[in-house]
Amino acid sequence: MLNVTAPDTATRLPSPVPPDVEQAEAAIVEHYPRLVRLAYLVLPPSLGRHRRVLTAHAMAQRALPRGRRSGGGAAQGGLPGQRGATGDAGYAYVRLRVLRSALEAGVPLSFRARPKRSQLPALLPQVWGLRLFPRSGGAEELALDQWLATLDGPGRAACVLRALERLPEPEVLRVLTEAGVANPAAAVAESGDPVHDSLFTSPEFDPCVLQARPTDLLRRRRFARAALAAGAALAVCGALLALPGDGWGGDGAAAPPYARNLASEQALDPGKLIRVQPTLWRTSSRTGFSTWPARGDRAEDTALLRRALAVWARPGKSVVASATPGTPPGPPMGPPQLLFAGTVDQAVVVLLYDGLRIVRYAEPRDGTSVAALDFARTDGASAESATALVLSRVDGNVRYLTAPWVTGAASRDLLKPGETPTTLKLGPDGVTPPVLSPAPGGNCTGWNALALTGDGTTRLVTDLGELTAARLTSGAPGSERDVTEGAELGDWSRTACLLASVRSHGVRSVNAWTYAKQTLPEGDGTATWLCSRAETWAGVQDRVQAQFLTPGSPWAAQAAQAEGSPACGPREPRVLAGVLWKSKAGQWYVLAAGSAQFASLSATGGGVSGAATGNRLAVKAPAGAQVELSGKLTDGTKAGVLGRG
């Protein structure tokens, strides 16, 4: 049965009932900066700003309830309710969990009682060698921080709920009671006058925008020497234990350790790096990363290239490595191709390509003791998907290396489709100036994309937290096209913020298209149903979302989602989703819409029974109903909502 949630559309949030684990995850991702700020303000100042920052992030991440993930997202668990003005039941639930943890952290430890998890230092996240704290504010912020330190935990919680969450006093009392506060009325009275409530949104109290300073350097040096000595002793003991016999077993046909191997030596030789002609892309039968020439002001720096290849083959302990899902992080199989080597901002960057992966090596401009190594799968890249690579991300800005066939670039805010794109001047090596990152600071007040012109076409790409820029398209499955028209940009302005859910997922391209228009009951206008599909380089675990957009709403709401489903794609272009919607007059309806392949729809259960010929359905329903949606295709076969088949 589908669990239809129906949150109140007024400012009051519903009572926090444990939601589906994916609904809670979506609430945490969407409101993460807000939850972390709430925890930071409620935590006792005696912890110190560094520990409060890490503990606040840990509490927001631990707010995810335990339980199995549902494969179909909102559609599998039920029809999602229409969002209220201040949030939904999922957010109310995770907010309450964060608030409880922050209040428990302020309770002193006792030998008579077992300590709770929130009273102990957070295991994750951890930061080594740095002290983190929010940016410093002015005199008013300092005075507010000192005043908050004089309050107890419930008093600080009452202040935060009133000032940051904008809850009226009855709601503050209710939330404090559910959080386990013994005397909510006293906490509200202690919270004082709301004259300084606007200061709670100051950067002084934002643990997502941080400054960093080193820890005690002398103590770290002594600790490192002791750890080195202990490691050396352990290595000697291990070698002595492994001397007799074959140890844990022989290596079969593998060569002995440190044996010379021609292919391995060539892969590590800077002189063997593949460099293609600058004009190869004009004549080659296939246009992809393999036709990119070597560019950058350090392309002839043999020492730099040798370090990059050596770190790729044997990353040490000081190397920070990452790989997109489905990308093998091993050494090159032979001499890779050099795409770029040069100074970018405060780092030196090398981009290499081995036919399957793009590898980015980065080291500081003034040292080589630490490095970063990133892997991204790019097999099967073409001119459409090999348009740009991310060189660096610094201070909320991104620099791209564009393809050699790109002749022009412009920055466009997807949330403002009517604005003229800002022209960017490309460097001689195809490097863009700094471009503002999508959703800076974690808030979706803007989503910047890059419009790249070249070879007679203009393509729209965006940064999804990986080496490769993801291509954005519009159109029905099998007829995808680049986003250039006003209507397509308008659709993307309503769905761009949902791109945050596919960040760092190995995404190659994202297609969004309108699959149905529906006239709302009682003359409330026309709603739009959209489907977006994020396809990955690995070709598996593609993410699909169905979205519902009402007239006058700035953003579309997620109606259903699925992972690893062929729906909304060339192999299975159909999609069906539904929502529980409340009319302006206060009547609740089950609304459903399918793509053109559906000949009829039906809804049953929870006091609802209705059917419609065609691909759209609207049936009156009581609030909180449990409804089962199904449809029949034009060929007579049955099909369910997205995520359920």
Side-chain angles (χ1 to χ4, degrees), residues 289 292 383-391 400-403 405-406 432 450 452 461 466-470:
F289 293 114
W292 282 33
E384 291 79 14
S385 54
T387 53
L389 295 172
V390 173
L391 280 177
Y400 299 87
L401 175 67
T402 59
W405 53 85
V406 171
T432 68
L450 207 62
L452 301 177
V461 299
E466 301 168 6
L467 289 182
T468 55

Side-chain angles (χ1 to χ4, degrees), residues 2 79 576-579 590-592 602-604 617 627-631 639-641:
L2 295 180
L79 303 179
L576 170 63
V579 295
V590 171
L591 301 181
S602 64
T604 57
L617 176 143
V627 180
E628 183 77 24
L629 282 178
S630 63
V641 293

Side-chain angles (χ1 to χ4, degrees), residues 138-192:
E140 292 181 333
E141 287 84 357
L142 179 60
L144 177 60
D145 192 34
Q146 293 174 344
W147 178 72
L148 287 174
T150 64
L151 305 180
D152 59 8
R156 288 190 299 271
C159 289
V160 173
L161 292 174
R162 184 195 67 222
L164 189 63
E165 295 297 294
R166 305 292 185 187
L167 297 182
E169 184 172 331
E171 279 295 287
V172 174
L173 292 171
R174 181 183 66 81
V175 175
L176 290 177
T177 301
E178 292 173 341
V181 175
N183 193 345
V188 171
E190 185 184 19
S191 66

Side-chain angles (χ1 to χ4, degrees), residues 247-304:
W248 288 284
D251 292 331
Y258 307 107
R260 298 175 65 87
N261 180 274
L262 181 59
S264 300
E265 290 180 348
Q266 289 180 343
L268 298 177
D269 185 358
K272 300 292 185 180
L273 283 173
I274 299 173
R275 301 169 186 252
V276 305
Q277 295 297 321
T279 58
L280 177 63
W281 63 272
R282 298 179 184 274
T283 58
S284 65
S285 59
R286 179 179 176 182
T287 306
F289 293 114
S290 61
T291 61
W292 282 33
R295 291 174 285 179
D297 58 357
R298 304 281 293 272
E300 303 300 330
D301 189 335
T302 303
L304 168 65

Side-chain angles (χ1 to χ4, degrees), residues 462-627:
T462 192
D463 175 25
L464 292 182
E466 301 168 6
L467 289 182
T468 55
R471 181 191 179 198
L472 304 181
T473 60
S474 291
S479 303
E480 297 89 346
R481 57 188 178 275
D482 291 297
V483 180
T484 55
E485 299 178 0
E488 296 166 346
L489 291 170
D491 287 347
W492 268 109
S493 69
R494 305 298 198 277
T495 62
C497 288
L498 295 176
L499 287 172
S501 63
V502 296
R503 270 181 166 158
S504 302
H505 193 65
V507 173
R508 176 178 187 150
S509 64
V510 185
N511 183 61
W513 61 293
T514 299
Y515 69 86
K517 295 274 189 179
Q518 183 173 22
T519 301
L520 295 175
E522 303 180 16
D524 283 359
T526 301
T528 302
W529 293 86
L530 304 103
C531 189
S532 63
R533 180 180 180 86
E535 296 195 345
T536 62
W537 286 96
V540 295
Q541 294 184 330
D542 298 344
R543 293 193 175 184
V544 185
Q545 295 183 0
Q547 296 135 13
F548 178 69
L549 177 64
T550 55
S553 176
W555 299 293
Q558 180 177 285
Q561 66 173 349
E563 184 171 324
S565 169
C568 205
R571 296 183 60 184
E572 190 177 289
R574 68 173 184 266
V575 60
L576 170 63
V579 295
L580 190 67
W581 173 80
K582 188 177 182 180
S583 70
K584 295 178 182 178
Q587 175 64 50
W588 286 97
Y589 289 86
V590 171
L591 301 181
S595 52
Q597 293 83 1
F598 283 85
S600 63
L601 304 178
S602 64
T604 57
V608 176
S609 178
T613 302
N615 62 339
R616 284 156 290 195
L617 176 143
V619 182
K620 289 183 179 180
Q626 293 183 338
V627 180

